[in-house]
Amino acid sequence: TGETVFSTRFSPAGDMLAAALGDGSIHLFNVEEGKSQRVLHTKMQNREERPCTAVRWRPNKADTPVILAACSNGSVQLFDLGSGQRTCVWETDNEVLSVDYAPDAMHFASVGRDRIVRLYDEKSAKVVSEMQSGYDFMGNVTAGHNN
């Protein structure tokens, strides 16, 4: 497509590869054939088209595959590939840079430009915990998190 690729991730079975692109799309490739099988779009109505910065597959579960996407438009999006349903969570005034699933797939985490790591319940898509950057004794941001 000529777009910058921000992130790639193999499916748990290893047969598909998801690629997050600068135009906000996610391309799903069949690894064996090397061909794009499907394109997902993260652009929301009346919103500027922004890059999809990271993509993750839900760890192995008995149900259909789900893709988790971090978007610089401030959204975290979950795509259920079986039903076609998309769930979107907005992080106000944030540019989401990375996401990941917990090994049990009960939770996922996001982090962005605001330096807050948010832990979400996967079923409700609600924040259950926030971990903010640590500060030193002078009030300067330090590496790591304090909770």
Side-chain angles (χ1 to χ4, degrees):
T1 68
E3 285 293 328
T4 301
V5 177
F6 281 79
S7 175
T8 59
R9 186 64 59 158
F10 284 99
S11 66
D15 59 335
M16 298 292 290
L17 180 71
L21 275 62
D23 65 359
S25 66
I26 300 167
H27 290 249
L28 305 180
F29 294 92
N30 178 301
V31 173
E32 190 173 312
E33 297 173 7
K35 295 181 181 176
S36 180
Q37 299 292 304
R38 190 170 178 181
V39 178
L40 306 172
H41 299 280
T42 62
K43 184 178 179 185
M44 303 300 290
Q45 186 177 6
N46 300 325
R47 295 268 182 169
E48 180 183 349
E49 192 171 82
R50 303 283 302 273
C52 180
T53 56
V55 65
R56 298 293 183 266
W57 293 83
R58 179 194 282 167
N60 278 339
K61 288 189 87 169
D63 50 7
T64 60
V66 171
I67 291 202
L68 178 65
C71 305
S72 64
N73 66 4
S75 68
V76 175
Q77 298 184 34
L78 295 96
F79 294 88
D80 183 316
L81 300 182
S83 70
Q85 182 179 0
R86 176 174 63 171
T87 302
C88 184
V89 176
W90 288 101
E91 295 186 5
T92 306
D93 297 324
N94 195 19
E95 197 173 297
V96 184
L97 302 173
S98 186
V99 288
D100 204 3
Y101 262 108
D104 65 5
M106 306 255 328
H107 295 92
F108 63 87
S110 71
V111 66
R113 192 173 195 155
D114 66 2
R115 289 182 266 171
I116 298 173
V117 176
R118 291 176 177 84
L119 182 65
Y120 289 88
D121 173 77
E122 204 254 2
K123 189 178 240 181
S124 68
K126 300 283 185 203
V127 174
V128 295
S129 179
E130 289 186 347
M131 296 161 263
Q132 296 195 24
S133 296
Y135 295 89
D136 66 15
F137 66 95
M138 300 281 292
N140 300 311
V141 175
T142 62
H145 292 84
N146 61 3
N147 40 335

